Amino acid sequence: MTEKAKPRTPIESGVPDGMQYMHPVYLKNFGNWKYHDRPRPGVLHHVAKSGDEVWTVRVGTHRQLGPYEIDLLCDIVDKYADGFVRFTIRSNMEVSVTDESKVAPLIQAFNDAGYPVGGTGNSITMISHTQGWLHCDIPATDAAGVVKSLMDELHDEFISEQMPNRVHITTSCCQINCGGQGDIAINIQHTKPPKINHDLVANACERPSVVARCPVAAIRPAIVNGKPSLEIDEKKCICCGACFPPCPPMQINDPEHSKLAVWVGGKNSNARSKPMFHKLVAAGIPNNPPRWIEAKDVVMQILHAYKKDARDWERMGDWVERIGWPRFFELTELPFTKFHVDTWRGARHTLNASTHIRF
Amino acid sequence: MTEKAKPRTPIESGVPDGMQYMHPVYLKNFGNWKYHDRPRPGVLHHVAKSGDEVWTVRVGTHRQLGPYEIDLLCDIVDKYADGFVRFTIRSNMEVSVTDESKVAPLIQAFNDAGYPVGGTGNSITMISHTQGWLHCDIPATDAAGVVKSLMDELHDEFISEQMPNRVHITTSCCQINCGGQGDIAINIQHTKPPKINHDLVANACERPSVVARCPVAAIRPAIVNGKPSLEIDEKKCICCGACFPPCPPMQINDPEHSKLAVWVGGKNSNARSKPMFHKLVAAGIPNNPPRWIEAKDVVMQILHAYKKDARDWERMGDWVERIGWPRFFELTELPFTKFHVDTWRGARHTLNASTHIRF
Amino acid sequence: MAQPKNPEKHCTYIPPESEKKSSKPMYDTPMLDQLVDGPWPSFVSGLKRLAMNNNMMVDLMGQLEHSYNTRLGYWKGGTVSIFGYGGGIIPRFTELMGDDGEPMFPEAREFHTVRVMPPAGMHYSTDLIRKFSSTWQKYGSGMIAFHGQSGDIMFIGTDTDNIQGFFDEVNEYGFDLGGAGPAVRTSMSCVGAARCEHSCTNEQKVQRLLVNNFLDDMHRPALPYKFKFKVSGCSNDCVNSIQRADMAIIGTWRDDMKVDQGEVKAFIKSKSRKYVIDNIISRCPTNALSLNDDDTLSVDNRNCVRCMHCINVMTKALSPGDDRGVTVLMGGKRTLKIGDTMGTVIVPFMKLESDEDYDALKEIAENTIDFWAENALEHERCGEMIDRIGLVNFLEGIEIDVDPNMINHPRISSYVRMDTWDEEVDKWNQRKAAV
Amino acid sequence: MAQPKNPEKHCTYIPPESEKKSSKPMYDTPMLDQLVDGPWPSFVSGLKRLAMNNNMMVDLMGQLEHSYNTRLGYWKGGTVSIFGYGGGIIPRFTELMGDDGEPMFPEAREFHTVRVMPPAGMHYSTDLIRKFSSTWQKYGSGMIAFHGQSGDIMFIGTDTDNIQGFFDEVNEYGFDLGGAGPAVRTSMSCVGAARCEHSCTNEQKVQRLLVNNFLDDMHRPALPYKFKFKVSGCSNDCVNSIQRADMAIIGTWRDDMKVDQGEVKAFIKSKSRKYVIDNIISRCPTNALSLNDDDTLSVDNRNCVRCMHCINVMTKALSPGDDRGVTVLMGGKRTLKIGDTMGTVIVPFMKLESDEDYDALKEIAENTIDFWAENALEHERCGEMIDRIGLVNFLEGIEIDVDPNMINHPRISSYVRMDTWDEEVDKWNQRKAAV
Ligand code: SRM
Ligand code: SRM
Ligand code: SRM
Ligand code: SRM
Ligand code: SF4
Ligand code: SF4
Ligand code: SF4
Ligand code: SF4
Ligand code: SF4
Ligand code: SF4
Ligand code: SF4
Ligand code: SF4
């Protein structure tokens, strides 16, 4: 680390042009691709209208890269490929070559360095990654650890294409859920209202904003021990933790009572069905570092059922729509409880108002 | 009319057993039917597991029958059939014979008496009928007149089976809508808040109930001219008329501003799609007795588009789901306005959150 | 329209003045007269014939014509009942007064409707219909509606004095009043087992069982609001029960549907493969049908949702299975206060064979009406209450366990507190173990 | 796991103690150590290698191990920025104090993240990546995340003093800070036109056009809350734009999709008719596909909703049409306050060819951000505002006409007042006439 640099007016250059760092064959055929197929898991083969072909090898990473990994990976890309890399939205690297014969050595080189090649097509690709205890100010769990534990388990599914369709898993380290919707989402669910650290409220907290932030209006301003503080109506509070980021004295995280919940069937694509939100399937799962085995078990139960029962091209959500939620709970052996019945605004629309029932 | 009978304790006999008035072939094969087909419009042919067969002729009526019609119809049933009749939920009569050769003479007899035979399968059957000006205490329009006008127009569609699937039309004489959901529903839509007759409120109205009845909390108790009355927040009021039945001084009906609105795609059956509510397609239609031609025109526009464009077995709602609402408005040439966008609770779920768009 | 060949036996027939029995002259009704013509039988001809019979109908036509001119209705309610009952009559008093403050159409100053429950399934002998007609000519206008939207025979048009006599007479020959006001209402069941191959239950029996169990709640209205039962024999739901009943009972089956592969082939032959793919295979809501390359049909019965579509189309080839029963849904109604609601699945499947089965259904209805009667606000339908208190609380109230068939999908909102998750899991596990 | 054949070139490699450059001893990290093994590359090995390089990472590992033990996080926010900008840095200060009130892991007492926008489409040369790595070793921990969920390169771990130097250096070689706080945020576009045959627009151009137009709103956070753009080249929406962007721009086409019937036949031959019926024909959401008896495919292009499914399955046989453009949706976001929302169609289709087309898109974004900035409550996302004020008012605010493509279906609630129906009809008719 160096001495302090003196202020300089920034060049507001914005988003850099991607073209300048792009593989030449991408540039040449920009907007003119014809079709693709997948010669093997982890490899995409795109054919351009010009007749050009390109093979892209997809490599799993742990997102947070240091100089060692960067050199290791870039050396491979320089030696076995053409010196260009792109990253996917899921922190996978994509390395392209225009010569088919280079594919196998490239894969070999990645594998020799311990990096898995896969994540394409109907595989389970890299789990979406958030900050967790490493960096965020509000997490109830870690991100990198959860991802590593699960990807260890899912490694074989990453490097092969044996699922009915692509599987997108997301994790998030608090209920805010930066990881987003997923075929399977592993999220935090608090089960106790925040403990208010009244001593800190007066300083650390803009009280009107916190009051406004609560989705169920459970917070009201109050004077506690003579100081302005807040009060929670615990009967109303749904333990969502939304008050915690704007007001750290609203201590929501709890080693015991911040549990994991698993959600299923989120889908962003418009293929076949319209985009769908994920739905709660399991909760009360201990937040158990370093390997979160209880959460992993739930995820594996779901994946096994999906793998066995779903049809080609059915995303997790499509599959459950077809077989119905009762069957989902039957096949995964997960318990169904009153908590599965939605209670939020518009909950009426989630009730089965039909005789469409499977037996 | 006779002299006053003196009170007698009622026999609380409840719903009479239908078996005692049932056609013998129904009784014999009760619960043991095998299949049916329709040899011609207006005729159902059911075959029992026993091998028994029955032909049922469906006849349109105007629901409100007097002694003349009752005798006329019963005479035919006695002479050409077996003396049994049932009524459908849509006020059609069903007359069964076990001898196929009786079908044609029976139909002939009904037709000779001016009664249409039809309403089966993919026809347009009788419109659901409510009370209207004839009897109800809150109607903004008539029922029998609207039904007669429309059925005159739809007569050919009643006696033939030329639609993609069965068409169920409903009408209602106020926004309460006793006629229910329909493939096409013709309902009242008020466009001015109730005029309060303050002189009457104190006597004729239980004020707290009316206040509670308003779906948007637009009514509050008030003292007007020294008497307890009510006040409407006209900005909030949605002119639904729900306050009128419990409080007749809330005069909502207006010869000019009570308009007709047409709704499309209601479906009660669970066939293919789950049951669906009908959706607004046209409003501001004058309430124009005795023949309501403007409303009829809208209905005919919709029916023509459906007949031309829908596929076999598609109910109105299924069809529009497939072709999309933009195309519906295009094919029917009905205008699309901001009023078509829902604003009621849960309206968010009615927005298109996808790229599923037809061009 | 061509002249009918036998005018006196035709629905357009109006008897000559000579046969007029009513003593009042007919009003000019130019508006209504425009509804005489046209191919559909005209209620105006009907009204005219009735007006030939009695003065009440003469004045009724006068008032109706007035409504057509002013586009306003002129009836108001009131209180009329028969001895021993509180409901079942819809009283109407005219509000249309002349300058003298007296009714403009005095003979129709009262024009009540009597709601009478028809035989279950709406089966009649012509004798019975004629009997009704003659009784009603004695006590009322002679005009009978077959039927009201809730399923009543509506005897329309009489005055307070004649109500009791009419009731006594029809009551003697086996008929009872229907519902009105905050009461259990008249019910409907589809034709079902009587003449429909799709029927999976004895609709009439269910209807009678339920309604006849609540006659006190029907005849002496004291519930928060109305409560309707409706019974359909299959998912086609020919009585619109899901959207129009507080408690809907719908027949279904649990085992495999029956397939006659010979009839499947015959159907394909008559219609073409493409037709079958486009109209049957790809219309199945759960992709449970697959057409094999040899023109036989595979049905994935585990995923079939008993929607009836394929069975409706291929009536000869396909039919419901043998292990039959019903699904119960609750909470359907029209629009007031919270907007339309549909019924929600409360009992995904129950057998209806033994007396115990029927008792169980009755008990569900009793628990529901009891809980609703105690917990609903005034004028709150069951579906509105469910919406207000939530399905789970409702289920607890009627002592039914939560079941995934009740929902389209589990919650999408993470806004929920789940401290007692483990207890709820135990409940589920115990239930599973008990099976 | 088998021993790697070249351990020094393997992701499990930890340099020997002799190569350690950091001066602090490593902490015992038994919890984290359990994450070293297993087939997936381990971030713990990564952390260890970084801790060999600098003390900040030694202490960072100490704090992280502590979190693993206590199951609690220990960072709090604060205010750190570079000269001239207000956002783009996520400052972190440790809250984990020893008994002496001093940080337990003092070298990591500050551990800020710098968000830098990557090249559009996330394309890199290895040179560029190596350059980032060496700059970050100079000013920070050396740990770089490719990428954050919003698309930033996250340079994780530095103190306040080093922020400006780091920025100046990367800024000089062409990179700028991303968004944080109530600001326009960093955006993403899919690989799209660069390497995907489905692409219907120039994703990178759209992304750069929009974001670069709002750099002031990105760098000097003063909006009600965050605002995200995301760009996908087709409905597969590989950047999750509908659910995760305030404004989503998605490529589509208006004319007929392209069908190569030869390839269709080849596909059927390789997979069987039944497979094609069950996996393609009957999966089309609008039944727009029909398999002809001669194994050709009919596409009902008027009713195809461009969902991409059939094109995804038969990549060689089917492809998007030529008349391409984009659909714009607004209001997607995660869960806070009102529950998750998805974007709603605001522009069903617009061409993006001429400069005017692109200007029109920019104008829509500008109008939206202006209207939202003026009308949103504090901390209210665009989607929450739309939900609160209603779609129609929002459209009026941004001067876009209502269109039936914006809704799944027209209103089902009759609770609406429509006095001005005729005026609205006139508007529609004028619009129609104008086309
Ligand atoms: C590289 C990447 C885009 C990028 O700009 O980085 C990408 C690239 C492709 N996607 Fe994607 N998708 C990528 C993330 C996504 C996402 C977002 C996500 O992962 O969170 C989605 C939406 C996810 C969702 O619905 O929740 C996504 C939904 C699809 C779909 C729709 C699948 C479906 O049936 O629902 C397709 C179509 C398909 O599978 O053929 C698709 C297809 C493709 C194709 C085949 C397009 C093409 O012709 O080149 C690309 C190769 C995919 C493959 O893995 O076989 N891509 N794709 C992303 C790779 C992520 C990864 O490393 O695993
Ligand atoms: C870093 C990142 C996760 C990651 O490790 O990748 C992240 C981290 C945080 N997010 Fe996020 N969000 C990140 C992408 C997202 C996404 C995904 C996306 O952009 O596609 C979402 C869902 C989409 C959306 O915008 O709704 C997301 C939804 C949120 C929300 C919920 C917003 C809502 O309206 O519901 C918050 C809370 C807030 O803003 O008040 C939030 C807040 C936060 C804060 C600032 C926590 C806080 O309020 O103090 C986190 C800072 C962590 C840190 O220390 O760096 N983050 N956040 C992602 C940004 C990195 C980047 O710039 O590339
Ligand atoms: C007689 C009646 C029941 C009764 O108890 O009175 C009845 C009888 C039959 N219905 Fe129905 N339905 C009757 C009202 C209904 C209704 C309610 C209504 O009319 O308001 C519905 C629900 C309407 C809705 O969805 O909004 C109804 C939805 C069906 C369906 C489902 C159609 C669909 O595709 O959605 C079928 C199946 C079919 O068409 O083959 C059906 C089929 C049948 C069958 C074919 C059943 C059978 O095998 O016998 C009967 C002959 C129908 C025909 O017209 O061809 N019936 N049917 C009703 C005749 C009404 C009339 O006079 O027109
Ligand atoms: C007569 C009848 C229409 C007809 O001509 O067929 C009718 C007529 C009236 N209905 Fe109805 N409803 C009739 C079937 C229905 C139905 C259909 C059904 O039962 O399947 C519905 C929709 C289903 C439902 O129950 O929601 C229906 C929904 C209503 C409602 C709205 C209830 C709601 O919760 O939204 C009201 C208003 C109320 O009860 O406060 C209502 C109220 C009324 C009142 C009592 C008007 C009033 O509040 O003063 C009408 C008396 C008219 C009269 O003078 O006879 N009527 N009403 C039907 C009853 C005849 C019969 O007993 O067979
Ligand atoms: S999910 Fe929560 S804890 Fe994790 S990075 Fe996002 S805001 Fe932070
Ligand atoms: S945890 Fe959520 S519900 Fe509870 S007080 Fe905080 S913001 Fe409100
Ligand atoms: S729809 Fe309205 S006016 Fe008509 S009968 Fe029902 S309550 Fe009366
Ligand atoms: S008309 Fe409807 S909205 Fe208006 S005051 Fe009456 S009940 Fe309320
Ligand atoms: S509901 Fe089913 S069983 Fe009853 S009549 Fe209709 S089709 Fe037949
Ligand atoms: S009944 Fe309906 S769900 Fe079952 S197989 Fe037939 S079409 Fe499919
Ligand atoms: S969104 Fe469409 S165009 Fe973009 S990468 Fe995915 S499949 Fe290709
Ligand atoms: S793209 Fe989707 S909607 Fe269009 S034809 Fe193919 S499957 Fe059907």
Side-chain angles (χ1 to χ4, degrees), chain D residues 1 54 66 95 125 226 246 306 358 363 390 434:
Chain D
M1 211 167 29
N54 64 67
H66 193 80
E95 286 192 313
S125 61
K226 59 184 79 163
D246 300 274
R306 281 68 179 159
Y358 281 95
E363 206 183 304

Side-chain angles (χ1 to χ4, degrees), chain A residues 1 8 11-12 15 31 36 65 68 78 85 94 135 142 148 152 177 181 267 274 278 312, chain D residues 10 37 40 68 92 113 124 126 130 138 144 171-172 193 195 197 212 220 243 275 309 334 408:
Chain A
M1 321 206 175
R8 149 187 171 280
I11 306 165
E12 288 197 58
V15 189
H36 82 282
L65 304 181
Y68 175 86
D78 286 341
V85 166
E94 293 189 332
H135 196 271
D142 196 33
K148 159 73 177 157
D152 276 346
N177 192 221
Q181 297 282 329
K267 173 170 169 288
K274 293 184 173 188
H278 52 223
D312 286 7
Chain D
H10 195 272
D37 283 342
W40 195 259
Y68 269 64
R92 290 296 175 243
T113 284
Y124 296 86
T126 47
R130 292 189 211 260
K138 253 197 284 178
I144 311 177
N171 191 225
E172 282 299 327
R195 201 202 55 212
E197 73 270 21
N212 292 351
R220 292 160 204 94
Q243 302 197 28
Y275 184 90
H309 172 68
R334 239 299 186 169
N408 289 332

Side-chain angles (χ1 to χ4, degrees), chain D residues 220-258:
Chain D
R220 292 160 204 94
L223 294 173
Y225 195 8
K226 59 184 79 163
F227 194 98
K228 295 177 180 173
F229 297 105
K230 284 188 166 63
V231 191
S232 279
C234 79
S235 284
N236 283 327
D237 196 6
C238 293
V239 297
N240 302 338
S241 67
I242 294 182
Q243 302 197 28
R244 283 165 54 170
D246 300 274
M247 179 164 165
I249 301 92
I250 302 183
T252 190
W253 71 97
R254 231 173 4 180
D255 55 342
D256 292 357
M257 75 164 71
K258 293 185 204 158

